[in-house]
């Protein structure tokens, strides 16, 4: 979650050893040097219902990362976490592209394939997100890609629709973990002055769509049967080759992450678990990897605990009972450590997302926005090959070639969306909230406009506009969501909103079953959901722009 810095005069980023590239980054206010005790007192005096011990330590670690700056370790993470964004958009596109050839071969209702994907993603985001707050980020970060790749390659050998749907659900368990885990990993290592890069990471999201479309174009177009009336397996191998290729790519990306890079556990996660020494050691190792030295010491974090203990002891004479309760709540002492270890499976991480009225409003709005987009996005994008093909047939150019050509064009024009989003979120009059609200509303408007198309080129033009604005929208949404959650509850928060997204995503196939996909009805539903989500974004009570996440 992003909160304003304590009330202290600012210092320039140059004073913490910023490089020339950092001076060009968006402006960010960094606190003056204050002692850990002063920091704790300031936070405590602000009467924040967030734990002042945790908040003070999170800001100390944040300052240490800012001192290190944006170095090799963070840039490597930009690429490696980008694999998660890549996967997150690639596999919904893959599922959509599988629909025509697999329906021809297996003669089943294609909506069940999308339902299996949504169900698997729901399980994945809930499990990996919550587990990352309990056991850490590292294993989830690596295993999600491995699970996706293995089950996707297995799906290429499916002999019937039931096996295919089951394996789609299995690979989606891996895909579902990307948002909760990868966004937390990147945000918790990047210096505050470069948090805007979390938005730019969505360029990988657009690349995932482009790669999927480019690989599918020759494979499915050239190795697919012409119609459902004559579609034996031997003449319909394209979609299988496609799954082998994409599954193999995911497995390769897993090995790149696992073998070629050592991911340290998040220092803020370690600190939230009372493992301060390990958190300090991680920050120092990252600094050394970047060719720098960190001034962070274990005593700086322990001094916050001592400040909390001293303030609590001062209250002992007045209210003896308060000392024990507050001490355990603050996380100091052996008893509190034991309590924390025994309560990792409790609902504390969920309650932490609603700890204050403003935080409760923020979490609730995010859940609703993700739910609305969860319905709208798969309803439109998941069935866009059908939509383009049927409309193309009306325009006299509904060939497989034209369908996939248009899919590639839509993927290419969406690439600048991430860069536009990264620029807009730092504009004073837009920020995260304004950019999210505007791009989401305009995305919905483009969908309504697409229903007016009377030529193939007009339809493609409206869809190109939708592709750009939806990439801006997702870029901001993927960034603002983890920024608005405290690090100790970030995985759970991301899992919660992603679960709402996938639950409503599971409803999209049901809508498709009862609404004729050759009409504009699904488009109207999707457009209205986008517009409503954009209006709700204006109501978010926090603006993370220029503030360090905690």
């Amino acid at each position: 979650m992003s909160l304003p810095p304590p009330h202290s005069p600012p210092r320039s980023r140059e004073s913490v050893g910023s490089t020339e590239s950092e001076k060009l980054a968006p402006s960010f206010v960094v606190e003056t040097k204050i002692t850990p005790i002063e920091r704790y007192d300031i936070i405590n005096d602000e009467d924040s219902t967030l734990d002042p011990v945790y908040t003070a330590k999170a800001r100390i670690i944040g300052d240490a990362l800012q001192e290190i700056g944006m170095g090799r370790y963070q840039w490597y993470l930009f690429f490696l976490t980008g694999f998660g964004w890549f996967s997150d958009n690639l596999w919904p596109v893959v599922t959509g592209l599988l629909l025509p050839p697999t329906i021809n071969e297996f003669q089943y209702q294609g909506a069940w394939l999308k339902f299996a994907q949504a169900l698997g993603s729901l399980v994945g985001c809930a499990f990996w997100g919550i587990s990352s707050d309990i056991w850490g980020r590292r294993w989830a970060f690596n295993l999600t890609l491995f699970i996706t790749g293995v089950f996707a390659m297995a799906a290429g050998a499916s002999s019937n629709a039931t096996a295919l749907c089951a394996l789609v659900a299995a690979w989606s368990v891996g895909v579902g973990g990307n948002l909760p885990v990868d966004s937390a990993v990147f945000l918790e290592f990047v210096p505050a002055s470069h948090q805007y890069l979390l938005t730019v990471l969505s360029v990988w999201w657009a690349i995932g769509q482009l790669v999927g479309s480019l690989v599918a174009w020759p494979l499915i177009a050239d190795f697919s049967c012409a119609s459902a009336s004559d579609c034996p397996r031997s003449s319909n191998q394209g979609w299988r080759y496609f799954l082998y290729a994409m599954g193999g790519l995911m497995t390769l990306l897993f090995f790149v992450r696992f073998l070629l890079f050592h991911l340290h556990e998040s220092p803020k996660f370690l600190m939230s678990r009372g493992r301060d020494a390990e958190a300090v050691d991680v920050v120092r190792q990252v600094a050394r990897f970047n060719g720098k030295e960190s001034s962070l010491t274990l005593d700086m974090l322990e001094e916050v605990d001592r400040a909390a203990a001293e303030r609590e002891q001062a209250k002992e004479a007045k209210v003896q009972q308060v000392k024990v309760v507050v001490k355990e709540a603050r996380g100091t002492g052996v008893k509190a450590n034991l309590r924390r270890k025994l309560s990792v499976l409790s609902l504390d991480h969920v309650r932490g997302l609603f700890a204050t009225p403003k935080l409760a409003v923020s979490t609730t709005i995010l859940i609703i926005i993700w739910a609305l987009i969860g319905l709208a996005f798969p309803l439109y994008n998941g069935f866009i090959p059908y939509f383009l093909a049927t409309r193309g047939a009306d325009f006299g150019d509904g060939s497989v070639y034209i369908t996939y050509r248009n899919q590639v064009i839509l993927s290419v024009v969406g690439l600048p969306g991430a860069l536009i989003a990264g620029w807009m979120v730092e504009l004073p009059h837009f920020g995260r909230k304004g950019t999210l609200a505007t791009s989401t509303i305009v995305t919905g408007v483009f969908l309504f406009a697409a229903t007016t198309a009377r030529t193939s080129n007009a339809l493609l033009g409206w869809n190109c506009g939708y592709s750009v604005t939806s990439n801006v929208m997702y870029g901001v949404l993927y960034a603002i969501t983890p920024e608005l959650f405290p690090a100790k509850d970030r995985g759970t928060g991301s899992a919660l909103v992603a679960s709402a997204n996938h639950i409503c995503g599971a409803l999209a196939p049901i809508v498709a079953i009862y609404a004729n996909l050759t009409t504009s009805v699904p488009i109207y539903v999707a457009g209205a959901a986008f517009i409503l989500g954009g209006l709700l974004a204006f109501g978010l009570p926090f603006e993370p722009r220029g503030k360090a996440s905690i």
Side-chain angles (χ1 to χ4, degrees), residues 323-340:
K323 177 182 175 182
V324 176
V325 176
V326 174
K327 187 173 181 179
E328 291 184 355
R330 294 296 186 256
T332 60
V334 177
K335 186 181 293 186
N337 257 336
L338 179 60
R339 181 190 184 96
R340 191 160 42 229

Side-chain angles (χ1 to χ4, degrees), residues 86-153:
F86 178 90
S87 174
D88 192 76
N89 197 27
L90 169 67
W91 291 100
V93 170
V94 168
T95 308
L97 294 173
L98 291 180
L99 284 173
T102 58
I103 289 175
N104 284 344
E105 181 175 338
F106 295 139
Q107 299 292 305
Y108 72 108
Q109 196 164 19
W112 289 112
L113 194 67
K114 299 299 294 182
F115 181 79
Q117 178 194 49
L119 185 61
S121 296
L122 172 61
V123 173
C125 72
F127 174 77
W128 295 116
I130 295 173
S131 68
S132 71
D133 277 345
I134 297 174
W135 296 297
R137 325 292 199 209
R138 292 179 60 192
W139 282 107
F141 182 74
N142 288 310
L143 287 178
T144 49
L145 293 182
F146 180 74
I147 291 171
T148 303
V150 168
F151 283 107
M153 288 188 289

Side-chain angles (χ1 to χ4, degrees), residues 176-414:
N178 291 312
L179 168 63
V181 177
D182 291 19
S183 58
V185 166
F186 186 75
L187 186 61
E188 290 165 20
F189 278 103
V190 73
S193 59
H194 288 72
Q195 283 180 195
Y196 72 97
L197 288 175
L198 190 61
T199 301
V200 181
L201 263 173
S202 63
V203 70
W204 288 96
W205 199 76
I207 293 173
Q209 179 178 351
L210 176 61
V211 169
S213 301
L214 283 173
V215 176
W217 190 357
L219 291 179
I220 297 182
D222 295 343
F223 298 97
S224 296
C225 54
S227 66
S229 59
D230 182 23
C231 193
R233 176 170 177 166
S234 58
S235 62
N236 197 44
Q237 292 289 322
W239 67 269
R240 300 177 188 276
Y241 299 152
F242 182 41
L243 284 181
Y244 296 146
M246 295 295 94
L249 177 60
M250 285 296 104
T251 306
L252 175 62
L253 296 183
F254 156 74
F255 282 115
V256 171
R257 274 188 179 181
F258 189 72
L259 298 178
L260 301 184
F261 182 79
H262 176 68
L263 176 71
H264 297 289
E265 188 54 83
S266 161
K268 289 182 180 177
F269 166 80
L270 293 170
M271 178 272 294
S272 72
R273 285 283 172 267
R275 297 155 63 181
D276 291 354
E278 294 177 63
V280 172
D281 184 59
V282 166
V283 173
R284 289 176 175 175
Q285 289 189 57
V286 171
R288 286 194 292 271
F289 191 88
N290 289 351
K292 297 186 177 182
E293 291 296 328
S294 173
S295 61
L296 180 66
T297 64
L298 176 59
D299 188 65
M300 294 169 69
L301 299 182
E302 290 181 340
E303 197 171 349
V304 175
D305 288 323
R306 291 194 290 269
E310 289 173 7
R311 301 307 182 265
E312 289 162 8
Q313 289 169 3
K315 301 174 185 177
E316 186 175 359
K318 294 182 179 180
V319 187
Q320 177 65 25
Q321 295 82 358
V322 172
K323 177 182 175 182
V324 176
V325 176
V326 174
K327 187 173 181 179
E328 291 184 355
R330 294 296 186 256
T332 60
V334 177
K335 186 181 293 186
N337 257 336
L338 179 60
R339 181 190 184 96
R340 191 160 42 229
K341 290 180 183 296
L342 294 176
S343 63
V344 293
L345 297 177
S346 70
L347 295 177
D348 288 347
H349 291 296
V350 176
R351 285 192 287 266
L353 301 170
F354 299 88
T356 71
K358 288 181 70 175
L359 186 55
V361 170
S362 176
T363 301
T364 302
I365 290 178
L366 283 174
I367 290 172
I368 296 174
I369 291 174
W370 275 96
L372 290 169
I373 293 176
L375 174 65
F377 185 77
L379 186 61
Y380 183 75
N381 267 39
F383 296 95
I384 197 172
Y386 264 163
F387 185 75
L388 291 176
T390 54
R391 284 304 177 100
D394 292 340
F395 302 141
D397 56 2
S399 67
V400 172
Y401 174 85
I402 293 295
T403 297
Y404 283 100
R405 184 208 66 179
N406 289 356
Q407 183 73 14
V408 170
I409 291 174
L410 294 177
S411 303
V412 171
V413 299

